[in-house]
Amino acid sequence: MTADTEAPPRSRSRILADLTPLRSSAHYRRLWFGNTISWVGQGMTSLAISLQVYDITGSSFSVGLVGLFSLVPLMVFGLYGGAIADTVDRRKLGLASATGSAVLSAGLAGAAFAGFAHVWFLYGIVALQSVCAALNAPARSSMIPRLLPPEQLAAANALGSITLTSGMLLGPMLGGLLVGFAGYQSAYTIDAVTFAASLYAMWRLPSMLPDRDRTAAKRASVLDGFRFLATRPNLRMTFFTDFCAMILAHPRALFPAVAVLWYGGDARTTGLLVAAPALGALLGGVFSGWLGRVHRHGLAILLAVGAWGAAIAVFGLTRQLWLGLVFLAVAGCADTVSMVFRNTMLQVAAPDEMRGRLQGVFIVVVAGGPRLGDFLAGTTADLASPGVAVVGGGVACVVAVGVLGVVRRGFARYDARDPEA
């Protein structure tokens, strides 16, 4: 913990997000503000690239390839990024990867100003951006337990969820407005500039070398991370429970069909369905003050994932749009609760020299799980119907997480005050 960290007293009646981490650590405060600003900029660029690819090709398939070029490097380099973060100074790794992202955004802006519009160039930039993100995220996440005391990590992760969902909601909205009024170069330029806040925050951090008591003799290995995870049942459960939600009950791929078949809507209806879980996740972060008073993190994760599955199942039974949006928002809020406690367990119950690699696995699960869920939901809908896919997936999620809770009873007893991996 750094010298500027001081834990002020916490209000027992807090409902809104606990801002204690922002007040107690100047380093964390700069890091959070810098990441929030840069995430909004990245959200702008993400939408702008999709719009530009469609503008060049007129092909939805080509736009879909943007996601593929982003996903593959993120999953591959996420694991290696975690291993690197357990070997080198995490501050320097964060600086280098954030600088790379800023340079790539500047390259997009320069190409747009020069009228250089080629799909292969945009695909290449997207892939390289994912590599930088895969290197940056484990380093950044593993820094936080060094900046804050353990009792503030749940609040810090709730604040981190606000960062993510703000980028998901505000970034694309601002990006669409900017592209419409001032062209692609405006969105790319602003994204490049917003990285200055993140870079400044990283620059002000102290050295963040990992604990080398166990890693001094050799470089950190990805396989060692998996071996460590194999001996830690509670940490494994954080990944298994997330798979229940993201693979079994992830109806995002069905939203275009659901918008038409259930609600008689169009693309605007699909947009509302996509935005509802993100809005619920944002509200879950904003009203997260109570999370810091929860110590049974394992039980909270089981209940949150069960709530996600139940909300998705009820959504599948609705045929009124407003009611469907409400249950999707409830699911998004439950996902925030699950994410906060899963991330906190990874930060608290794992030794410092393993945090980077476990965060790398976390990235792969978060990136890959929903894609597998999209495939499963789409396949089930084609074989049966969208209703069967959505309701059946939600019920399967509730049953699966219940079975996990019974099989691994120690997970529900996990107490953050006496963490056991």
Side-chain angles (χ1 to χ4, degrees):
M1 194 188 316
T2 58
D4 70 333
T5 302
E6 179 184 346
R10 189 187 322 201
S11 169
R12 299 293 297 176
S13 61
R14 179 176 286 113
I15 297 176
L16 295 176
D18 186 354
L19 303 182
T20 301
L22 297 177
R23 291 194 294 265
S24 66
S25 172
H27 288 310
Y28 175 78
R29 182 167 61 248
R30 285 189 291 265
L31 197 62
W32 185 83
F33 279 111
N35 289 338
T36 301
I37 293 170
S38 64
W39 262 99
V40 172
Q42 288 173 304
M44 293 165 48
T45 287
S46 178
L47 179 71
I49 287 177
S50 295
L51 292 174
Q52 191 173 11
V53 168
Y54 188 79
D55 189 32
I56 295 170
T57 65
S59 167
S60 295
F61 174 76
S62 298
V63 176
L65 286 179
V66 173
L68 183 63
F69 277 94
S70 174
L71 175 63
V72 173
L74 190 63
M75 294 185 67
V76 172
F77 285 91
L79 295 175
Y80 287 100
I84 294 171
D86 285 338
T87 305
V88 303
D89 186 339
R90 291 161 178 165
R91 169 184 173 272
K92 291 181 179 178
L93 179 60
L95 270 174
S97 53
T99 300
S101 294
V103 170
L104 290 169
S105 292
L108 282 170
F113 277 113
F116 185 79
H118 295 278
V119 173
W120 62 265
F121 173 75
L122 296 176
Y123 287 158
I125 292 291
V126 165
L128 291 174
Q129 284 178 328
S130 291
V131 172
C132 290
L135 296 174
N136 185 270
R140 187 178 64 245
S141 296
S142 55
M143 291 176 187
I144 295 175
R146 302 275 289 271
L147 300 175
L148 298 169
E151 63 271 16
Q152 292 183 21
L153 290 179
N157 287 317
L159 291 170
S161 75
I162 295 176
T163 295
L164 293 175
T165 50
S166 295
M168 291 168 57
L169 288 173
L170 296 179
M173 180 180 68
L174 294 175
L177 292 173
L178 281 168
V179 169
F181 284 107
Y184 300 111
Q185 59 270 27
S186 61
Y188 298 146
T189 300
I190 292 177
D191 181 25
V193 172
T194 60
F195 274 106
S198 180
L199 289 170
Y200 174 73
M202 292 275 188
W203 182 263
R204 292 291 304 273
L205 289 173
S207 175
M208 287 281 177
L209 285 167
D211 183 350
R212 294 186 181 272
D213 288 346
R214 302 180 187 178
T215 59
K218 59 179 181 178
R219 295 183 63 83
S221 165
V222 173
L223 292 179
D224 284 343
F226 282 110
R227 293 189 189 102
F228 172 81
L229 195 58
T231 65
R232 300 298 190 270
N234 282 335
L235 293 185
R236 288 201 307 274
M237 280 286 290
T238 65
F239 297 109
F240 292 155
T241 53
D242 192 47
F243 278 140
C244 291
M246 294 297 100
I247 296 179
L248 298 177
H250 196 260
R252 181 183 58 189
L254 305 181
F255 285 164
V258 163
V260 175
L261 297 176
W262 294 2
Y263 306 120
D266 51 18
R268 289 171 294 182
T269 309
T270 303
L272 290 175
L273 294 174
V274 172
L279 179 60
L282 179 61
L283 292 175
V286 171
F287 295 98
S288 62
W290 60 277
L291 297 181
R293 300 192 292 273
V294 176
H295 303 294
R296 299 279 294 280
H297 290 182
L299 179 60
I301 292 170
L302 293 172
L303 293 175
V305 174
W308 163 279
I312 294 298
V314 177
F315 161 70
L317 298 173
T318 63
R319 293 301 180 267
Q320 291 184 315
L321 180 59
W322 70 268
L323 191 58
L325 294 176
V326 167
F327 280 104
L328 286 176
V330 169
C333 183
D335 186 48
T336 289
V337 174
S338 170
M339 184 276 294
V340 166
F341 290 126
R342 284 185 291 113
N343 214 352
T344 302
M345 284 183 66
L346 290 177
Q347 292 170 335
V348 173
D352 183 69
E353 70 269 16
M354 283 291 175
R355 284 176 181 149
R357 276 164 286 186
L358 292 185
Q359 287 297 328
V361 176
F362 184 82
I363 291 170
V364 171
V365 170
V366 169
R371 272 67 179 187
L372 292 174
D374 289 343
F375 175 76
L376 180 61
T379 301
T380 306
D382 280 348
L383 294 176
S385 70
V388 170
V390 176
V391 177
V395 172
C397 172
V398 174
V399 172
V401 78
V403 170
L404 285 176
V406 171
V407 171
R408 175 58 190 168
R409 297 177 185 273
F411 185 65
R413 295 193 296 268
Y414 174 93
D415 193 318
R417 294 167 294 189
D418 185 23
E420 294 181 3

